[in-house]
Amino acid sequence: MTLRLAASLLDLVLGLELGPSDKGTPNRCSLDGVTWESRQEGVIDIGIRKLEAAALRLASGALVLEIGRIAVHELAGQVRIEAGVPRLSALGAAGVELSGVKLHGPLGLSPQLQEVWNALPGSPPAGITAGQAAADAWSLGPLGEAEGVIRGEITDAHLLFDAEVTVPIRHGQIDFSDATVEHVGPDSRMGVSRLGLYVDAPNGRSYLYQFASAPLAGVEFERRGALLSPWVSERGTLRLQAFAESMLRQGRRGHGQGLTEQARLLLGRTALSGEVQLGDGRFAVPGLQAHMVGRSEGRNALGLRSEAVGHGLTVEMASLSARDAAAKWKGAELACDEVTAGLKLQLFVEGRQVRFVLEVENGRAAGPRLDLGRSESA
C-alpha cells in the first residue's frame, strides 16, 4: 500500500466520529474464538471465529454511516514483521452479514474522503471530473439487455400541456417511435436528432437535452421521409449501454451539452415511476467492478419513483446480486466472491444542494478478502 494512500486512510480514520446510532441504545462489539499464532519467518496469523457489532455510527463531517448490525464469520488475518515493524498484509473471512445500514449526507466528498479518492488508481487529479478518467474504467453491461418501462406525468406543462409520457425499454434499447406523449388534443412525439433529445408538440419542437457533438455512441438519429419530406418517418433509437458509457466518458467537456432550461422547468412538474429489469453483465466504474447475475431469477430489478423529479428521486433494488466484486486502491484490493443485498437510494434536491440517503438491508458478502500488497514510497 502506498504511503500516499496509507496517509489518506489514516487522516480519514482520525477524522471520524464514533458513537451509537441511537442515543438510547449503546453500541456494542463482541469477539468469539480469538487465536494468535507466530511463525518463524516473522509472520503472525490471527483468527477470529466471529466478530459482531451493533448500533454503530461513524461520521466524517456531514457524511454519516449508521450500521444496525454487522457480523463477520471466520475472520483470518496475517501480520508480517518487516524491519521490526508489524504490518497487516492480508485479511479475509468466510462471510459478512449487514443489516440496518444507512449512509447519508450531501452529494459530495469531505476533505478526508477526497484525499482517499485522489489516491485511488485511475482517479483524476483534483479539479478533473470522474467522467474524464480513463475510458476503459466505465462498463455498464447490465443495461445491454435491460427491459422495462418509464412513465412520467407532467402537470400544467407549458410545453406539452398536461401529459402522460410512456417510454418502453426493450432489449436494452429505447425506440422513440414506440414512446408516447398523450395529452388533450393531438399527441406529441419524442425523438432524437443530431442536436439532442426532443419533443414535437403541437406548438413546435422543443429540445429537452442538447448534445455537445454528434454522432454519439449508441444513438441512431431520426429519419425523414423520402424526397426531402419534412415528415419524420422514424424517431430514432438509443442503445442504453453504449449511450450511457459514452456520456460518462465525455463528462462535461462539451460546451452546450446538458438539460435545457425548458427541461429543468418540466422536471419540477414531472412525477416519475418505472420498473427496469437489468441484465447480467459487467458493471465497472473507476476503482470498482462486479459481474451482475441473477436476471433469470428476477434479481437486479430497479424501481423508480418521484413525485417531482426536480425535487428528488427514489431508486430501489430489492435484490441486488453480483459476483467477483472488487474495489482497488493503489497497492490494495478488496474483493468478494458473491454479494447480495436490498438497496434503496433517495436523492433530495434542496436549492442548489443535493442530499442522498443510501439504505442497505439483508446484505451478505461471501469470501471477502483484503490484500494490502507491499509498502511503497510515494
Side-chain angles (χ1 to χ4, degrees):
M1 182 167 58
T2 64
L3 293 179
R4 179 186 176 204
L5 179 58
S8 299
L9 290 173
L10 180 60
D11 290 341
L12 174 62
V13 172
L14 293 177
L16 289 176
E17 298 177 10
L18 174 63
S21 57
D22 185 345
K23 292 184 178 180
T25 305
N27 54 19
R28 53 195 182 276
C29 179
S30 64
L31 300 174
D32 294 332
V34 179
T35 61
W36 180 290
E37 181 181 357
S38 298
R39 289 193 258 157
Q40 291 183 348
E41 55 269 30
V43 176
I44 301 174
D45 293 325
I46 301 173
I48 301 175
R49 186 172 63 247
K50 184 178 181 181
L51 183 156
E52 186 170 3
L56 298 179
R57 181 183 185 275
L58 297 168
S60 175
L63 187 65
V64 178
L65 172 63
E66 300 177 20
I67 302 176
R69 174 181 175 271
I70 179 172
V72 184
H73 302 279
E74 303 298 337
L75 180 65
Q78 190 175 83
V79 176
R80 293 183 177 274
I81 308 298
E82 298 178 351
V85 178
R87 183 179 66 85
L88 180 65
S89 61
L91 195 65
V96 175
E97 300 172 5
L98 289 164
S99 62
V101 176
K102 180 184 291 187
L103 178 66
H104 55 94
L107 198 60
L109 298 179
S110 68
Q112 295 93 340
L113 289 173
Q114 183 66 56
E115 286 297 319
V116 174
W117 170 259
N118 290 340
L120 294 177
S123 296
I128 303 298
T129 65
Q132 293 169 282
D136 59 358
W138 300 98
S139 178
L140 305 179
L143 286 179
E145 292 297 326
E147 300 276 348
V149 62
I150 305 296
R151 296 174 292 272
E153 295 184 8
I154 305 173
T155 304
D156 191 26
H158 296 303
L159 298 179
L160 307 176
F161 315 105
D162 291 353
E164 294 184 0
V165 181
T166 303
V167 180
I169 301 172
R170 301 188 180 98
H171 306 295
Q173 178 174 286
I174 294 175
D175 186 339
F176 286 105
S177 295
D178 297 330
T180 61
V181 183
E182 300 177 350
H183 48 69
V184 176
D187 290 343
S188 301
R189 302 301 302 271
M190 295 183 68
V192 56
S193 75
R194 292 182 177 275
L195 296 179
L197 301 174
Y198 67 79
V199 173
D200 277 343
N203 60 345
R205 174 169 291 190
S206 299
Y207 279 90
L208 304 177
Y209 191 95
Q210 293 180 324
F211 298 147
S213 61
L216 292 172
V219 182
E220 183 175 329
F221 299 111
E222 66 178 7
R223 295 181 182 178
R224 301 279 176 173
L227 300 177
L228 301 179
S229 169
W231 304 107
V232 177
S233 60
E234 295 182 21
R235 292 286 172 175
T237 62
L238 290 182
R239 287 183 288 111
L240 293 179
Q241 179 184 354
F243 178 71
E245 290 175 356
S246 174
M247 296 294 286
L248 288 170
R249 289 165 183 162
Q250 285 187 15
R252 296 286 296 175
R253 288 174 292 178
H255 295 291
Q257 174 177 302
L259 290 173
T260 64
E261 187 60 31
Q262 292 173 326
R264 295 180 191 278
L265 293 174
L266 281 179
L267 290 178
R269 297 189 292 268
T270 300
L272 184 73
S273 64
E275 305 82 34
V276 179
Q277 173 65 62
L278 298 178
D280 296 337
R282 180 173 178 265
F283 171 83
V285 298
L288 175 67
Q289 68 174 0
H291 193 92
M292 310 294 282
V293 295
R295 174 193 174 92
S296 61
E297 301 170 357
R299 299 184 182 274
N300 300 322
L302 292 173
L304 310 173
R305 70 175 188 274
S306 173
E307 294 183 0
V309 179
H311 301 292
L313 175 69
T314 298
V315 181
E316 293 188 75
M317 181 180 284
S319 182
L320 165 73
S321 179
R323 60 176 173 80
D324 300 329
K328 294 184 179 181
W329 297 266
K330 289 186 177 180
E333 180 180 51
L334 174 64
C336 293
D337 295 332
E338 296 181 7
V339 177
T340 59
L343 303 179
K344 179 180 179 181
L345 173 64
Q346 295 174 282
L347 299 176
F348 303 94
V349 180
E350 301 169 345
R352 301 180 66 87
Q353 301 294 321
V354 179
R355 185 169 55 87
F356 78 96
V357 178
L358 175 63
E359 299 179 58
V360 180
E361 286 294 344
N362 302 318
R364 295 177 181 271
R369 52 201 177 275
L370 176 64
D371 184 358
L372 297 177
R374 295 189 60 83
S375 297
E376 304 172 11
S377 59

